[in-house]
Amino acid sequence: MNTLNQPVSALAGIGAQTANRLQKLGLCVIQDLIFHLPLRYEDRTRIYPIGSLRPGMTALISGTVEFIDVLPRGRKSLICRISDSTGFINLKFFHFSASQHNMLKPGTAISCFAEVRYGYAGLEMVHPEYKVIVDPNDCITETRLTPVYPLTEGLSQNVIRKAVKQALDLCKQFPELLTDWIPESILTQYHYPSLAEAIRTLHAPDESVSIEALQNGSVPALKRLAFEELLAHYLSLRITRNKTKAWQAPSFLVEATGTSSNNIATDHFIRSLPFKLTGAQQRVIAEIEADCRSQHPMMRLVQGDVGSGKTVVSAYAALLALTAGYQVAVMAPTELLAEQHKRNFSIWFEGFQTQVMYLTGQLKGNARKAVLEALEDGTAGIIIGTHALFQDSVNFHRLGLIIIDEQHRFGVHQRLALREKGQQDGIRPHQLVMTATPIPRTLAMLQYSDLDISIIDELPPGRKPIVTSVIPAERRAEVIDRIHGWVEKKKQVYWVCTLIEESEVLQCEAAEKTAERLTEALPNVRIALIHGRMKSAEKDAVMQAFKNHQLDLLVATTVIEVGVDVPNAGLMIIENPERLGLSQLHQLRGRVGRGNDDSYCLLMYQAPLSDTARHRLGVLRDSNDGFVIAEKDLELRGPGEVMGTRQTGQMHFKIADLARDADVLDIVQQVGDSFFTHSPQAIQPLCDRWLGASTEYSEV
Ligand code: ADP
Ligand code: MG
């Protein structure tokens, strides 16, 4: 057995208790320690002249105690002034012992390490690490930067440093234990250090590396590891893709003599639509048809801006499955959206001999039982619902197609788990995934490398761009006037309250207050409130009333973000837009501009606005193109924001940081593809190293 795969308790000085604590950090075997990188570094390699210190610096100094005193004022504290030939600084201790007090007599030489800050009487260090210098050698500085590791309760830096050091020593002694799977030629081409060197540099940087480069992630050692980790993720998704492609899938092509029954049905479907499909919709439909004709499961992502008409494209795919005698499952992230799909699909499939059914977590008792039975015996051809669709109790008769809407709300793992759901007799359903969150190309290739991608890059004709303005909250009164005029014209309005996104309770409270105030200000306007803490039946009732124009103004939290379609609502006010990501704002804004008339979005910010925030809102004002917005947002704020903080599907990395390491993504794709021909033996070990247990999904 490879020594590096032994439990951490095999190292000297690590007992059961420490091993337990390390395990909380995900550090189980010795190798884990090697990839447990420092959070930051401390510089004890040189002594700073006290006169050169500035607030905010963390520095090692050395000097002589001038005086020491206990200040009884306020909180009792021990103050000790030390100086060198360049200046003085105060040390401050709030907790101290008599022996400490005695030890720091005037004239004593000490060295200290801490962050420097402004104090009551000049610069100070609070509770510094310090050492009384008896022998001048005591002051010897360290030769390397000191790593500071992420910790957990009960674990000290010293313990973890010692453990890491032992792990590194093992690697040095037995270099063959830690295989470098990245070919020499690639290392040379991209100026990456070897694996062993990269790891050594990061745990124990020598003088050739600056603390700044380590801190901002530009050191080649870190880039190399980030590259390797991203590569492993890419490879694992590619493997998934290859494996899925090897499965059999239901063929949706039913050839009758002469004409195919598919054709009759699809012609009928297209003819009965109240609009003509756009060129982009037709192109994507053709791509889907080609997939469904193949013997292997389709795994296609349809990306299209809000309002580009993805739903009807997915309905077309559903039709192909139905006419071939298969069931279709449509999964939406919210009940509101599932409900809307249910309505649309019911209309589109009215003339077809099938039942469109609906299943969410809210459905209980006999009603639920009836749906489950209809799915199991095949009377339900289309089932629409939330993730409740994929619980264990749900069994399909003959599932041929899974449609997942607004997939960014679901995780990669959920997506992969679904694939297994409908698997029967060696046959796997086709899968169509839709998202309106445009993801910059480089990120898409990482996150969706198990999927083929189609893009609907054209909006239905007649849509006018949404006129967006950025205005300060002081102009609220004007905005309220505008609503008044708008409602008089028989049009509807959304008012979106965003608050701290993490707190739904606060968000709802804010929305409630806003609704009250607007009701006061606009007595003749029919106002209602919708938020995430309402029961879904209540939400649906409100939404339905808004759709039927029994309401004029809907005050909402970001629950209305996805998919809701009310063409008569052409004005949206978004409060505190500076709190949201641009892509999310773009999604929200996409609720208006669904009809043929002019539509408006007012971004009502709370002044003062930071430069970045001003810039970001400007991007939204100037562009209606989700892809452009996503690219800009990536530039301005990094991918975490682009993909939304609430996104469950976000990938988690040990080392890589998509914002910082965006530059390696292109390399990852190129090198990743070459691995399948040039280094296939490296693929599994790399996935094991970086994805560990979660690699299991690549086995499906
Ligand atoms: P999204 O891509 O955001 O999911 P939807 O599928 O909800 O968009 O479509 C938005 C609206 O556009 C719906 O009312 C839909 O019926 C309509 N629509 C879809 N395709 C077309 C088209 N080709 N021409 C006109 N309207 C269309
Ligand atoms: Mg949609």
Side-chain angles (χ1 to χ4, degrees):
M1 178 171 153
N2 184 332
T3 321
L4 295 184
N5 292 332
Q6 287 191 4
V8 285
S9 55
L11 296 172
I14 302 215
Q17 200 179 29
T18 309
N20 262 337
R21 288 174 179 154
L22 288 171
Q23 198 173 358
K24 288 205 184 110
L25 290 169
L27 308 175
C28 305
V29 298
I30 298 176
Q31 171 161 299
D32 296 334
L33 286 165
I34 293 172
F35 292 99
H36 186 61
L37 296 188
L39 270 178
R40 59 188 176 84
Y41 301 83
E42 290 174 347
D43 187 359
R44 290 182 180 76
T45 61
R46 67 192 203 97
I47 295 172
Y48 282 78
I50 293 175
S52 74
L53 297 179
R54 296 286 168 268
M57 284 169 74
T58 299
L60 182 68
I61 56 170
S62 163
T64 313
V65 177
E66 280 184 24
F67 67 80
I68 182 158
D69 203 359
V70 176
L71 291 186
R73 262 174 281 136
R75 216 164 132 203
K76 208 167 161 191
S77 54
L78 182 71
I79 301 289
C80 171
R81 173 167 295 183
I82 66 165
S83 61
D84 64 8
S85 59
T86 65
F88 71 86
I89 187 166
N90 296 320
L91 311 182
K92 197 184 226 169
F93 300 87
F94 295 110
H95 316 280
F96 54 93
S97 62
S99 76
Q100 249 177 327
H101 190 170
N102 288 334
M103 213 188 319
L104 297 172
K105 286 198 191 64
T108 311
I110 68 168
S111 69
C112 313
F113 182 85
E115 188 178 335
V116 178
R117 59 175 222 189
Y118 269 126
Y120 181 66
L123 294 181
E124 64 181 23
M125 284 180 163
V126 178
H127 282 270
E129 262 172 52
Y130 70 92
K131 200 165 177 186
V132 171
I133 303 170
V134 183
D135 177 320
N137 282 339
D138 285 346
C139 187
I140 284 187
T141 53
E142 309 213 353
T143 49
R144 289 165 186 271
L145 296 174
T146 319
V148 180
Y149 292 98
L151 291 179
T152 182
E153 178 141 17
L155 204 61
S156 74
Q157 287 296 340
N158 262 339
V159 168
I160 204 157
R161 278 179 198 147
K162 279 187 189 146
V164 170
K165 182 160 186 314
Q166 291 182 63
L168 292 179
D169 287 346
L170 276 173
C171 291
K172 208 166 179 180
Q173 213 178 335
F174 309 104
E176 69 285 1
L177 291 183
L178 197 64
T179 314
D180 193 342
W181 294 107
I182 310 295
E184 199 64 57
S185 57
I186 288 169
L187 296 181
T188 322
Q189 186 179 352
Y190 297 105
H191 309 288
Y192 288 146
S194 71
L195 178 62
E197 193 187 326
I199 283 174
R200 225 178 308 119
T201 303
L202 294 171
H203 286 289
D206 62 21
E207 56 284 352
S208 71
V209 199
S210 80
I211 194 161
E212 290 76 27
L214 284 164
Q215 236 66 294
N216 69 24
S218 64
V219 343
L222 197 63
K223 280 279 173 229
R224 184 236 135 96
L225 290 186
F227 161 77
E228 188 178 316
E229 181 173 33
L230 293 171
L231 178 68
H233 279 264
Y234 179 77
L235 291 172
S236 87
L237 282 176
R238 280 269 132 178
I239 294 173
T240 311
R241 179 177 186 276
N242 295 347
K243 288 194 175 158
T244 311
K245 285 280 180 204
W247 280 73
Q248 289 292 305
S251 171
F252 289 168
L253 215 70
V254 196
E255 296 287 350
T257 40
T259 47
S260 98
S261 63
N262 278 87
N263 280 344
I264 299 169
T266 51
D267 286 352
H268 174 73
F269 180 82
I270 287 176
R271 259 187 283 115
S272 40
L273 288 174
F275 46 73
K276 187 172 175 303
L277 293 172
T278 63
Q281 283 171 320
Q282 290 176 27
R283 176 169 43 77
V284 172
I285 280 176
E287 285 164 355
I288 292 171
E289 262 190 310
D291 284 352
C292 294
R293 222 175 280 136
S294 129
Q295 298 299 307
H296 305 292
M298 158 169 77
M299 282 180 297
R300 186 165 289 279
L301 172 73
V302 175
Q303 271 195 300
D305 215 337
V306 277
S308 62
K310 294 181 289 294
T311 321
V312 70
V313 168
S314 73
Y316 187 97
L319 181 65
L320 296 178
L322 282 179
T323 47
Y326 286 92
Q327 289 172 299
V328 181
V330 183
M331 181 166 80
T334 62
E335 298 200 7
L336 215 59
L337 200 54
E339 173 73 21
Q340 182 175 292
H341 284 335
K342 154 89 166 87
R343 242 172 274 131
N344 279 329
F345 275 73
S346 298
I347 295 167
W348 286 329
F349 288 97
E350 214 165 15
F352 293 82
Q353 308 253 312
T354 191
Q355 278 196 62
V356 179
M357 292 197 134
Y358 182 62
L359 180 69
T360 70
Q362 305 293 322
L363 200 66
K364 298 268 152 59
N366 282 340
R368 182 184 171 81
K369 224 172 114 203
V371 172
L372 293 184
E373 277 170 16
L375 282 177
E376 204 153 351
D377 68 22
T379 32
I382 301 183
I383 177 80
I384 296 176
T386 55
H387 55 271
L389 277 184
F390 293 93
Q391 281 159 3
D392 287 341
S393 56
V394 182
N395 292 308
F396 294 91
H397 173 63
R398 218 168 161 230
L399 183 63
L401 171 66
I402 298 170
I403 296 171
I404 303 175
D405 193 17
E406 301 302 343
Q407 104 81 32
H408 65 288
R409 293 297 195 85
F410 301 104
V412 172
H413 294 260
Q414 261 170 309
R415 180 169 89 229
L416 298 172
L418 297 192
R419 257 176 227 168
E420 282 173 88
K421 187 77 198 176
Q423 179 173 312
Q424 257 169 7
D425 312 324
I427 291 191
R428 262 195 188 195
H430 295 283
Q431 202 173 102
L432 186 65
V433 174
M434 301 187 288
T435 180
T437 306
I439 294 177
R441 191 186 53 83
T442 43
L443 289 182
M445 74 103 233
L446 184 69
Q447 208 183 13
Y448 298 127
S449 53
D450 59 328
L451 301 172
D452 297 310
I453 299 182
S454 293
I455 299 180
I456 306 185
D457 50 4
E458 183 185 352
L459 292 180
R463 295 270 168 81
K464 294 191 187 144
I466 302 159
V467 181
T468 302
S469 345
V470 180
I471 55 167
E474 289 93 75
R475 287 173 54 190
R476 203 183 181 93
E478 249 174 78
V479 170
I480 288 178
D481 272 352
R482 186 151 170 197
I483 293 178
H484 192 77
W486 187 260
V487 170
E488 276 190 340
K489 281 192 272 169
K490 303 265 174 290
K491 303 254 218 152
Q492 292 164 280
V493 190
Y494 291 106
W495 183 296
V496 184
C497 305
T498 68
L499 202 82
I500 309 108
E501 207 187 322
E502 291 71 43
S503 167
E504 209 178 358
V505 181
L506 288 180
Q507 215 186 53
C508 298
E509 276 176 14
E512 271 161 16
K513 283 218 184 72
T514 305
E516 275 169 32
R517 276 193 286 158
L518 288 173
T519 309
E520 263 170 45
L522 294 161
N524 297 324
V525 173
R526 296 166 299 172
I527 300 178
L529 175 66
I530 189 164
H531 61 63
R533 303 192 86 209
M534 285 161 55
K535 291 218 176 65
S536 76
E538 290 174 275
K539 271 193 289 194
D540 286 348
V542 172
M543 213 52 228
Q544 201 52 55
F546 190 62
K547 257 189 152 158
N548 298 345
H549 203 169
Q550 292 154 326
L551 295 168
D552 304 304
L553 170 63
L554 189 61
V555 178
T557 59
T558 50
V559 292
I560 59 148
E561 180 191 341
V562 236
V564 181
D565 197 24
V566 183
N568 190 47
L571 171 63
M572 174 178 279
I573 293 101
I574 305 179
E575 270 193 285
N576 303 115
E578 66 277 11
R579 287 176 177 147
L580 299 183
L582 287 190
S583 291
Q584 200 185 352
L585 285 167
H586 179 64
Q587 289 267 329
L588 276 171
R589 176 174 67 173
R591 299 308 105 223
V592 296
R594 305 213 139 216
N596 293 329
D597 299 331
D598 285 339
S599 51
Y600 304 89
C601 177
L602 308 181
L603 302 173
M604 198 163 74
Y605 66 87
Q606 200 64 51
L609 214 49
S610 73
D611 279 351
T612 321
R614 187 176 302 279
H615 196 126
R616 293 177 59 246
L617 295 182
V619 168
L620 211 64
R621 183 192 51 219
D622 299 337
S623 175
N624 267 294
D625 181 332
F627 285 88
V628 171
I629 291 169
E631 295 281 354
K632 287 278 187 205
D633 212 13
L634 177 65
E635 258 169 55
L636 292 169
R637 291 217 303 184
E641 306 288 350
V642 175
M643 303 202 281
T645 41
R646 285 177 307 166
Q647 183 196 12
T648 42
Q650 220 164 33
M651 297 175 124
H652 292 285
F653 303 107
K654 289 185 188 137
I655 291 174
D657 170 335
L658 288 175
R660 186 192 63 198
D661 303 320
D663 55 328
V664 301
L665 285 172
D666 267 332
I667 312 176
V668 165
Q669 183 172 25
Q670 280 167 35
V671 173
D673 291 340
S674 76
F675 261 54
F676 286 93
T677 37
H678 299 307
S679 319
Q681 76 294 348
I683 294 176
Q684 195 58 47
L686 274 173
C687 292
D688 290 346
R689 175 180 291 166
W690 290 99
L691 286 88
S694 63
T695 320
E696 281 162 25
Y697 67 70
S698 70
E699 302 302 328
V700 298

